[in-house]
Amino acid sequence: MRIVLIAGILLMIAALFSDMVQKSNRIADSGVRIMPKQQYQMDENTRKYEFPTQEISDTGHGVRFFTSHMAVWVYADDKLIYSVEQLHSVFGNSPGVIWNFVDVPSETEQLTVIVRAAYPQVRQKKIDFYAGDTGRMYKYLLYSSGAEVIVSLLEIMVGVVLIGYWLMAHKRVPIERDISYFGVFALLTGIWSFNETKMATILIPSRTACAFVSAVSLMLMIPPFVQFMKCFWKIKDRWISETICVMAYLNFVIQMLLQLTGILGLRQISLEDLVC
């Protein structure tokens, strides 16, 4: 089982660095970056971008862009052709993180994109726009995230196998709890990393729920990781690890209460840009 644990650790490292090692020269598939002719700050939460459509028409009549916790409205001249509305649910008041794909009618003279931030933390988040063939850009993003998805699914599989093995074996033979702790950590890491992939962002429609699951997974990683390190390295301490775990669980409970009561969303509470 030590070999399995080491393999799992290597998968964690691979997940962290998978974005760094992925490169592609398929510019035609990824689209051509375009810049707005005009950009306006309509109010503190709302921005407007205006694009002449000549470059868009030349590259395939499609536009893609990524938004994080923002409502979106896209107009072809004065006609609304695409929108992502802000939601209000138990999972939060945000649309989540979304790859937006818009087909632009050929007779359009001006494309207008309006985005409204759900939270103050994302008001000034930069948005990059790309023009090209919508179908090819869609497939490009799916294929380019293949390695990330495989690693994430392997992490989940390792977590499930380790948890299952410990549940079946610990009553029959003496077995260290580090296996179960690492299994839970691997499972949570896999769920979080899968939700962060481009493929999940594109294919899973409920982005608000996915953002919620990612945040929960991220918060719950700390206790099993701390306990795994304590057991694996035979660290003797009376209160340090327990204090860290208690603080992590307390943080989780407080954030869940604030989220479910609608006082503050998880993205508003986050100190760093770790949750989508």
Side-chain angles (χ1 to χ4, degrees):
M1 292 307 294
R2 297 287 178 176
I3 295 177
V4 176
L5 290 177
I6 294 173
I9 293 172
L10 292 176
L11 285 175
M12 303 297 166
I13 297 173
L16 293 174
F17 289 96
S18 58
D19 276 339
M20 299 173 60
V21 299
Q22 288 192 37
K23 295 181 181 179
S24 175
N25 294 320
R26 294 176 296 168
I27 302 300
D29 291 339
S30 64
V32 177
R33 185 174 178 181
I34 57 175
M35 302 297 295
K37 181 179 180 181
Q38 299 288 342
Q39 179 176 337
Y40 307 94
Q41 190 74 38
M42 301 177 68
D43 58 48
E44 62 180 3
N45 292 318
T46 310
R47 283 177 282 169
K48 177 194 283 188
Y49 303 87
E50 294 180 351
F51 299 87
T53 57
Q54 182 61 49
E55 187 174 8
I56 298 173
S57 300
D58 292 343
T59 54
H61 295 284
V63 173
R64 71 172 172 93
F65 56 98
F66 180 80
T67 53
S68 177
H69 303 284
M70 295 178 180
V72 178
W73 297 271
V74 180
Y75 295 86
D77 295 327
D78 295 324
K79 181 180 179 182
L80 181 67
I81 59 173
Y82 175 86
S83 66
V84 176
E85 301 292 337
Q86 185 168 344
L87 304 177
H88 300 280
S89 70
V90 69
F91 298 116
N93 300 324
S94 161
V97 293
I98 299 174
W99 274 106
N100 303 272
F101 294 88
V102 183
D103 287 311
V104 182
S106 57
E107 68 277 8
T108 303
E109 295 183 3
Q110 177 173 285
L111 186 75
T112 303
V113 180
I114 299 175
V115 297
R116 179 179 297 163
Y119 304 131
Q121 288 81 355
V122 297
R123 284 174 180 166
Q124 300 304 318
K125 195 171 184 67
K126 184 181 179 182
I127 300 177
D128 294 323
F129 296 88
Y130 295 85
D133 180 86
T134 304
R136 295 176 70 180
M137 291 191 295
Y138 187 92
K139 292 178 181 178
Y140 166 79
L141 291 179
L142 288 180
Y143 296 151
S144 66
S145 66
E148 298 172 338
V149 171
I150 292 173
V151 172
S152 299
L153 295 178
L154 285 174
E155 288 174 347
I156 294 173
M157 183 179 68
V158 168
V160 171
V161 169
L162 291 178
I163 294 170
Y165 173 79
W166 186 84
L167 289 174
M168 292 185 294
H170 81 283
K171 292 183 179 180
R172 301 178 184 178
V173 295
I175 185 172
E176 296 289 340
R177 292 189 63 92
D178 55 353
I179 292 177
S180 64
Y181 291 134
F182 187 79
V184 173
F185 177 68
L187 178 62
L188 292 172
T189 303
I191 293 172
W192 170 73
S193 60
F194 177 76
N195 271 301
E196 297 299 308
T197 63
K198 298 183 185 73
M199 185 177 292
T201 305
I202 294 172
L203 296 181
I204 300 178
S206 182
R207 297 310 310 158
T208 303
C210 285
F212 181 83
V213 171
S214 291
V216 170
S217 301
L218 195 61
M219 287 187 288
L220 291 178
M221 284 181 199
I222 298 174
F225 178 74
V226 170
Q227 294 296 342
F228 164 71
M229 295 298 292
K230 179 181 176 180
C231 293
F232 187 82
W233 297 108
K234 309 297 182 183
I235 299 173
K236 303 296 182 181
D237 76 80
R238 294 183 178 181
W239 57 272
I240 296 177
S241 60
E242 286 75 11
T243 301
I244 294 173
C245 292
V246 169
M247 291 178 64
Y249 285 127
L250 183 61
N251 171 67
F252 172 76
V253 171
I254 292 174
Q255 293 207 37
M256 286 299 101
L257 288 175
L258 292 173
Q259 166 75 31
L260 297 177
T261 56
I263 298 174
L264 285 174
L266 293 175
R267 185 61 183 83
Q268 292 174 280
I269 305 166
S270 177
L271 296 179
E272 296 180 308
D273 193 16
L274 293 175
V275 185
C276 301

